[in-house]
Amino acid sequence: MRRALALVVLALVAFEPAGEGSRAARPLASAGQVSAAVGRDFVRPGETAPLPAAVADSVSSLRAERLAAHIAFLSAPSLGGRGLGSDGLEAAADYVAAQLSLAGVAPAVARSGGHPLEAYFQPVPLREVRQPGARLTLTRRRGGGPTRRTVIRPGTGALFPERVPLVVQGPAVFAGYGIREERPARDDYKGLDVKGKVVVLLGGLPEGAEWRTPELRSRYDVEGRYRHAAKLALAGSLGARAVVAIEDEAFAAELAKEPSTLAPAFFTLAERETPPLPPVVRVTPAVGGQILAGAVPLASAGGAAPRALAGLTVSVELTGRERALKSRNVVAVVPGAHPSMKEEAVVLGAHMDHLGRQGTTYFPGADDNASGVAALLEIARAVAASPRPPARTLVFAFWTAEEEGHWGAEHYCRHPAWPLERTAAYLNLDMIGHPWLREEIEKLVADTRLERGAEFLAAVDPARFIELGLADWADDLGPVLLSAARGVGLALHLDRTGGRSGGSDYREFAWRGVKFVRFFGNYFPGYHEPIDRVETLDASQVLRVARLALASAWLVAERTP
């Protein structure tokens, strides 16, 4: 899962939809709502039902010792923690491709000539920026008075984007919350010319219950790289050169905890967005007050009309040393058996990369995410070995650069091996080597006010319980996942979530409206530490999740339209 410090800090700042891998308290519901949720979102201990014979045969073929062997190899010192740009990550990709070839799983894209394994690789062009620097300059001229210049740097009230070096500047305009919506009706750009200008706007959403719908919050009030994606797209389409977003006091408090908000280095895709988005600098209310001084009182800015900020020019400068590098996704396919349904695919993904080395210390990444890669390899092997594959095609994707921003999955979504419009669902496996703790299950039962909760707790074995994240617009997949859990004998809870602020590769699919399922075990004290070794996880736990993922993928692939 993503490690960049700035995003870890900001994940704590604003609203995050419940269930993005967190244990945040869930809102209480009415008794009627709870009853409905229990019926559709839980599988109780001992609630079992047989799987179709072909699925059951493949599920039973998975073995813990094979999973453990993959995890041991991928987390070995010789691979050095599989850091992005390292020989260890390249070796991991070669290993994955070789295992797929041995299992008879074909590459997703047929190619002639070259090494036989080359066809499995999807190149991912990246840029690394070292020694990044940044500054936001406010230049104010009022009438015939002197020019005043204020320079704001990282750690002094601003969070800068991780982008390749650039310099942009322009006259400043204020555009409210930077929103244009028909319902509720609001146009923060009405009568405002923003072409060639820097747009100053407020983060989040306007006041009022009508703005607190899940749809609007997922569009305008998420965290991470897509925090202001919708606002940036609108501002960019109107010709804005850059955006300065004024955040709230919670943002300021989190920012103050860190001496610097710039990592020593970061990675980004070499390919720009299409269409390109303007850079955004997020600032504290104190800095926002300086920007709006004399033009718009910050306390009432949410209700202020759009306007030019007369006499103010804003410059955004990002610096650093760049180098190009190329990493690789590994993508394979098992064609579907049905004449027409095989044109649709279920994509299963797991990221190969981890944190690499820091000095003489390496980070094995056994759970994060050798466990998911091992499971995906064995699922692919089992499906390919079946005499009767699923109706839909299964695509197996092994991602690079998840820890640095989900760039492998993002590149795939821009250049999919299987069209996204014909992707029935995306299943993501990340960190599946540790189960929930009993106290966490107790909290879940209490927070949801589960009917017959005491009975559930008395019967549940934490090792045989899992929570799956499910796209909150994918109601049709819920019953399929419940059936899969019953088929492999696991108690289960479905956590319905928007996914757009999620901490793994499913986020890139969620932003594109692809239904997703999140397979995730639990955090443990060795998360992102050198003790995340094969000896500290339980291969039988990986096996349980792998069997559930295989059954789920197969049943989703068989589901009739």
Side-chain angles (χ1 to χ4, degrees), residues 337-361:
H338 191 277
S340 59
M341 292 173 66
K342 69 179 181 182
E343 298 303 316
E344 286 191 344
V346 176
V347 179
L348 298 89
H351 74 88
M352 300 178 290
D353 64 303
H354 192 53
L355 306 184
R357 293 186 181 273
Q358 292 182 13
T360 59
T361 302

Side-chain angles (χ1 to χ4, degrees), residues 131-136 151-154 160-161 262 316-320:
Q131 300 175 352
R135 65 181 179 182
L136 176 70
V151 178
I152 299 159
R153 300 184 184 276
F160 291 85
L262 289 179
V316 177
E317 182 178 0
L318 305 177
T319 62

Side-chain angles (χ1 to χ4, degrees), residues 168-190:
V168 293
Q169 67 175 16
V173 297
F174 175 69
Y177 283 91
I179 290 172
R180 180 177 278 173
E181 289 284 342
E182 292 184 3
R183 293 184 181 179
R186 186 180 181 101
D187 185 358
D188 286 326
Y189 289 95
K190 186 176 182 180

Side-chain angles (χ1 to χ4, degrees), residues 185-312:
R186 186 180 181 101
D187 185 358
D188 286 326
Y189 289 95
K190 186 176 182 180
L192 190 65
D193 177 16
V194 303
K195 188 173 183 179
K197 298 180 173 64
V198 175
V199 174
V200 179
L201 52 79
L202 303 173
L205 286 161
E207 295 296 324
E210 69 274 19
W211 291 101
R212 295 300 181 266
T213 66
E215 179 184 1
L216 290 172
R217 297 192 76 161
S218 68
R219 187 180 307 157
Y220 297 116
D221 204 12
V222 297
E223 275 305 324
R225 187 167 76 239
Y226 293 110
R227 165 70 173 163
H228 293 294
K231 295 183 181 184
L232 293 179
L234 176 56
S237 71
L238 298 174
R241 288 183 175 174
V243 170
V244 176
I246 304 172
E247 304 287 6
D248 60 14
E249 291 294 349
F251 169 85
E254 291 300 329
L255 205 59
K257 295 178 182 179
E258 299 299 325
S260 174
T261 57
L262 289 179
F266 63 84
F267 295 85
T268 186
L269 285 178
E271 175 190 37
R272 296 186 68 188
E273 305 97 341
T274 304
L277 298 178
V280 58
V281 181
R282 300 175 66 184
V283 302
T284 62
V287 173
Q290 294 180 53
I291 295 171
L292 298 178
V296 182
L298 184 59
S300 58
R307 67 193 69 184
L309 298 177
L312 178 62

Side-chain angles (χ1 to χ4, degrees), residues 51 62 79 162 250 285 304 332 346 384 412 429 448 489 495 514 543:
L51 293 168
L62 300 183
L79 268 66
E162 292 186 343
V346 176
Y412 175 93
L429 284 73
T448 58
D495 176 25
V514 177
L543 176 63

